[in-house]
Amino acid sequence: MSEHGDVDKRTVAERAGDAYAPTVFSRSQLIRKGLTGRRIAAAVARSDLLHIRRDRYALPTAPSDVVTAVRIGGRVSCLSLLVAMGVFVHRSRGLHVLVTPGSSRLRLPKNSTTVLHWRVRSSVDGCLHAAPIVDAVAHSVFCQSPRETLATLDSILHHALMTFDELAQLFESLPTRFRPLLALVDPSAASGPETYMRLILRAMGVSYETQVYLEGVGYVDFVVDGWLIIECDSKEFHEGWEKQVQDRARDVAAARLGYVTVRPLAADLLGDHTVVREALEQIIEVMGPRFTRGRRS
């Protein structure tokens, strides 16, 4: 969603590019662009530039989180930056800011819910308002539960913001307690609910495939035990009657091929997923035998 509540139709790649687009400048950078001290002062007076703090100027179009982070004395990072890019984050409270160790005169707002991150893992320091992606991802591992972290990591790889090798290298710098998560990452997950569904199926011990192509149906999120299709819908991307019509047509086409389709609600997958697991266990217990004895055995 945009700052105004509208659905953001940019791709993740576009949003990531915009997140790092130059919007904050030092005085020396502005002078290299041809401005003089007098012209900088005049631009600030006209509100063509915002003087955020000492030696930091921002375009008036800079996002509010960016302005706040730089005013504090740091850069947007962790969940705040990943959300801005369109990466899946289950929940993000407060503004996450990377502050370089040794920084002084931090200006935290009163009653602030700001989360400060001090550790820097990347030598890349070309952006004055946003942390390098490797730092933002590392910070997100510390700020989320394992299940939430996996959904974010899946999203990072799915949208090609990092490669698996880059992610593996990052995990080498993290505490050993996080290392097991790397083996569970799957870039085929196109959404957070898909990650959560995959973890439920792993816990159930059933056999499953992800992103399976079926003739006349298209790609489906999961096929369990060769006969049960699970589609993980989410409200953000599955609104409107036209989409419902398409989904129902796909379900009918799948049924003609001998598949049963279930569509758990994203709210149930992201919340108390025991309801989803119990429902799937009951479906498999009741309907599984007739399929395993039939042509799908």
Side-chain angles (χ1 to χ4, degrees):
M1 303 289 269
S2 71
E3 290 188 15
H4 302 289
D6 300 323
V7 175
D8 195 328
K9 296 183 179 180
R10 294 173 297 167
T11 66
V12 171
E14 291 170 340
R15 292 174 67 172
D18 290 344
Y20 286 106
T23 55
V24 176
F25 311 91
S26 66
R27 184 179 179 85
S28 61
Q29 287 176 328
L30 293 175
I31 290 175
R32 285 198 297 270
K33 290 178 178 291
L35 277 69
T36 63
R38 181 173 296 180
R39 292 178 64 185
I40 292 173
V44 171
R46 295 193 306 269
S47 296
D48 291 337
L49 279 176
L50 305 177
H51 191 190
I52 304 176
R53 62 177 285 139
R54 183 184 178 188
D55 197 34
R56 291 293 183 269
Y57 301 83
L59 297 177
T61 54
S64 58
D65 280 356
V66 165
V67 173
T68 301
V70 175
R71 181 174 288 127
I72 287 172
R75 293 174 283 171
V76 179
S77 185
C78 193
L79 306 183
S80 299
L81 180 57
L82 297 179
V83 167
M85 291 182 176
V87 172
F88 177 83
V89 172
H90 187 175
R91 56 173 68 87
S92 178
R93 299 186 181 92
L95 176 62
H96 293 250
V97 178
L98 170 61
V99 180
T100 304
S103 298
S104 59
R105 297 183 180 180
L106 300 182
R107 300 176 181 175
L108 286 172
K110 292 182 179 179
N111 302 319
S112 174
T113 57
T114 301
V115 179
L116 298 181
H117 296 275
W118 296 86
R119 178 171 293 185
V120 180
R121 288 173 170 77
S122 172
S123 60
V124 179
D125 196 26
C127 183
L128 296 179
H129 69 273
I133 184 68
V134 65
D135 289 297
V137 173
H139 298 155
S140 74
V141 175
F142 287 93
C143 284
Q144 300 185 99
S145 70
R147 190 170 70 132
E148 293 169 344
T149 296
L150 279 171
T152 294
L153 296 178
D154 283 356
S155 184
I156 289 287
L157 293 188
H158 180 79
H159 294 293
L161 296 179
M162 291 179 69
T163 66
F164 184 84
D165 288 342
E166 290 171 336
L167 192 60
Q169 185 176 2
L170 168 61
F171 266 75
E172 290 179 1
S173 70
L174 298 178
T176 56
R177 69 179 185 274
F178 295 121
R179 304 278 174 85
L181 292 175
L182 189 60
L184 299 176
V185 174
D186 184 348
S188 70
S191 68
E194 286 185 36
T195 298
Y196 288 8
M197 187 72 255
R198 186 179 79 248
L199 296 177
I200 292 172
L201 295 175
R202 282 180 60 90
M204 289 172 59
V206 296
S207 63
Y208 65 89
E209 297 176 271
T210 63
Q211 298 303 318
V212 179
Y213 180 80
L214 301 177
E215 190 68 35
V217 179
Y219 283 96
V220 296
D221 295 335
F222 297 91
V223 173
V224 179
D225 288 344
W227 62 271
L228 177 61
I229 292 175
I230 301 177
E231 293 278 49
C232 301
D233 300 336
S234 62
K235 182 178 179 181
E236 181 179 359
F237 299 108
H238 292 78
E239 291 182 335
W241 176 247
E242 182 178 349
K243 186 64 179 70
Q244 292 187 44
V245 170
Q246 293 174 359
D247 288 343
R248 294 181 188 190
R250 279 164 50 91
D251 293 349
V252 170
R256 287 173 174 166
L257 296 177
Y259 293 89
V260 174
T261 302
V262 296
R263 295 178 177 274
L265 294 175
D268 291 335
L269 289 169
L270 300 180
D272 182 6
H273 59 277
T274 56
V275 174
V276 175
R277 175 169 176 169
E278 290 174 356
L280 291 177
E281 289 173 339
Q282 291 171 1
I283 291 170
I284 292 172
E285 180 180 2
V286 172
M287 304 191 68
R290 71 182 67 176
F291 284 91
T292 55
R293 287 197 300 268
R295 65 183 180 85
R296 293 196 177 279
S297 59

